[in-house]
Amino acid sequence: MKRILLLTTGGTIASRLTDEGLAPGLDGEALARSLGALGDSYDITVRDILHLDSSNIQPEEWRLIARHVFEAREGFDGIVISHGTDTMAYTASVLSFMVRGIPVPVVLTGAQLPIEHPLTDGLDNLRTAFAMAAQGCPGVFLAFGRRVMLGCRAVKTHTTDFAAFDSVNWPAVAVVNGSGLTIREEAIPRVPGPCVLRDELCQQVFLIKLTPGLDPEIFDMLLRMHYRGVVIEAFGAGGLHFIRRNLIEKLHAAARAGMAVVVCSQCLYESSDFSLYQAGQRALAQGVIQGWDMTTEAAVTKLMWALGQTDRVEEVRGIFNESLCGEIQNRR
Ligand code: ASP
């Protein structure tokens, strides 16, 4: 029987109705019990590590989860993490970097309806997550809506639909269909071990979604606030304004001040390429780092993680030039 560790962190899946609305109230034993007879197919160990709505899961909690995962890597065949859906894609991304090379499957899942609701999707999601965790493919994954995706490619795209997550710019690594759990091995990147816990993070990372006419002085403010990194979701394949309000000039100032600036697209699908247009080329000349086809969640958490490993922008650039766990398909 496969030994599966269930780490619970809260979220809707474990929520009950309170006077203030839904709040996490169920423990992991209750989640495991909901699997019914299926639970007998696995040797399940439960650890309740957090009881939070995932809006309250922040870098401190990421580190805690990462440590539990890292410590369990040898004692279990797979790890399932139950988690709220709202920030699950961030947690899945950051874990992919923090425990890169983990030798067992680590599968995050959750639900749109609490596990005690008669129409819950949680049961289905837990079943998929357990099946994936028992399959032995190493890596960090997110299971939802009968699909399993790479943790660093998952994005929450729906607030209530049961297919709440999409695997962006990367095929789902497994689907549940009439053949059971069908894994596409070729979509799972081989990440060389050994796994080393690298959980240092820099929290001074800001995300800017560009809007037409955005005041470039935002960069002065960020520098005053000691931000060390910025991810810019630029327009389309790679546009940012430089007439009247000159963002490019500010990128220059940010680079001189030692800030790491990563640019990607505010389009959800396909890749940015800042070499295409004049505006993008000017930004590149100021030393911005291309985010290519990364999800925003992966770009932000990778930058937090990279700045946690080094103070040097050139080293951050090197880290972004490499795909660590399938998060980027470098076009160069
Ligand atoms: N607010 C909840 C959370 O992220 C939503 C969910 O789990 O679906 O914890």
Side-chain angles (χ1 to χ4, degrees), residues 7-9 49-50 57-71 79 81-83 91 94-95 98-99 106 108 197:
L7 294 175
T8 75
T9 70
I49 56 171
L50 294 165
I57 293 196
Q58 301 171 49
E60 293 81 354
E61 284 74 27
W62 294 341
R63 296 187 78 175
L64 177 84
I65 299 170
R67 282 182 188 170
H68 275 277
V69 167
F70 182 74
E71 277 159 21
I79 301 170
I81 305 175
S82 62
H83 193 292
T91 304
V94 81
L95 280 182
M98 285 173 152
V99 297
V106 177
L108 290 98
L197 177 66

Side-chain angles (χ1 to χ4, degrees), residues 9-13 15 22 52-57 62 82-92 108-112 142 144 154-160 164-165 297:
T9 70
T12 294
I13 192 166
S15 284
L22 286 175
L52 292 173
D53 183 292
S54 75
S55 339
N56 273 318
I57 293 196
W62 294 341
S82 62
H83 193 292
T85 60
D86 289 345
T87 66
M88 198 194 301
Y90 284 95
T91 304
L108 290 98
T109 196
Q112 296 283 44
L142 188 152
F144 218 93
V155 174
K156 186 174 180 186
T157 52
H158 292 75
T159 55
T160 56
F165 288 84
E297 288 83 342

Side-chain angles (χ1 to χ4, degrees), residues 202 204-207 222 227-231 259-261 303 307:
C202 166
Q204 284 72 43
V205 169
F206 198 81
L207 169 66
L222 294 176
Y227 273 89
R228 292 177 49 212
V230 177
V231 174
M259 189 184 258
V261 181
L303 188 54
L307 286 168

Side-chain angles (χ1 to χ4, degrees), residues 52-276:
L52 292 173
D53 183 292
S54 75
S55 339
N56 273 318
I57 293 196
Q58 301 171 49
E60 293 81 354
E61 284 74 27
W62 294 341
R63 296 187 78 175
L64 177 84
I65 299 170
R67 282 182 188 170
H68 275 277
V69 167
F70 182 74
E71 277 159 21
R73 74 196 182 285
E74 274 161 6
F76 295 91
D77 298 302
I79 301 170
V80 172
I81 305 175
S82 62
H83 193 292
T85 60
D86 289 345
T87 66
M88 198 194 301
Y90 284 95
T91 304
S93 276
V94 81
L95 280 182
S96 310
F97 304 122
M98 285 173 152
V99 297
R100 182 171 176 249
I102 194 90
V104 294
V106 177
V107 192
L108 290 98
T109 196
Q112 296 283 44
L113 281 175
I115 200 82
E116 290 185 335
H117 192 288
L119 295 175
T120 186
D121 54 329
L123 201 46
D124 223 20
N125 291 339
L126 274 180
R127 286 180 180 138
T128 308
F130 271 83
M132 185 68 191
Q135 283 302 318
C137 301
V140 177
F141 308 100
L142 188 152
F144 218 93
R146 303 203 160 198
R147 289 190 309 160
V148 182
M149 39 207 104
L150 277 191
C152 59
R153 288 288 183 174
V155 174
K156 186 174 180 186
T157 52
H158 292 75
T159 55
T160 56
D161 197 289
F162 282 180
F165 288 84
D166 212 352
S167 180
V168 170
N169 296 329
W170 196 275
V173 299
V175 291
V176 179
N177 57 24
S179 314
L181 184 75
T182 307
I183 299 182
R184 298 178 184 133
E185 302 257 0
E186 68 286 358
I188 303 181
R190 301 271 159 257
V191 179
C195 177
V196 178
L197 177 66
R198 292 215 166 84
D199 64 345
E200 296 80 14
L201 291 172
C202 166
Q203 296 196 37
Q204 284 72 43
V205 169
F206 198 81
L207 169 66
I208 296 178
K209 179 166 189 159
L210 222 56
T211 48
L214 180 88
D215 188 341
E217 280 188 23
I218 186 96
F219 278 95
D220 300 326
M221 187 196 78
L222 294 176
L223 285 170
R224 277 199 302 277
M225 291 178 72
H226 308 293
Y227 273 89
R228 292 177 49 212
V230 177
V231 174
I232 302 180
E233 276 192 5
F235 305 124
L240 36 158
H241 47 261
F242 58 86
I243 62 163
R244 275 193 302 282
R245 298 173 190 87
N246 194 344
L247 275 173
I248 311 282
E249 197 177 87
K250 285 297 179 193
L251 288 180
H252 185 60
R256 265 203 328 263
M259 189 184 258
V261 181
V262 175
V263 283
C264 40
S265 174
Q266 50 190 252
C267 299
L268 184 55
Y269 295 102
E270 302 181 340
S271 184
S272 59
D273 181 353
F274 278 70
S275 66
L276 274 182

Side-chain angles (χ1 to χ4, degrees), residues 23-43:
L26 288 176
D27 63 11
E29 291 298 341
L31 289 185
R33 263 198 313 277
S34 71
L35 288 170
L38 188 77
D40 300 338
S41 321
Y42 306 106
D43 175 2

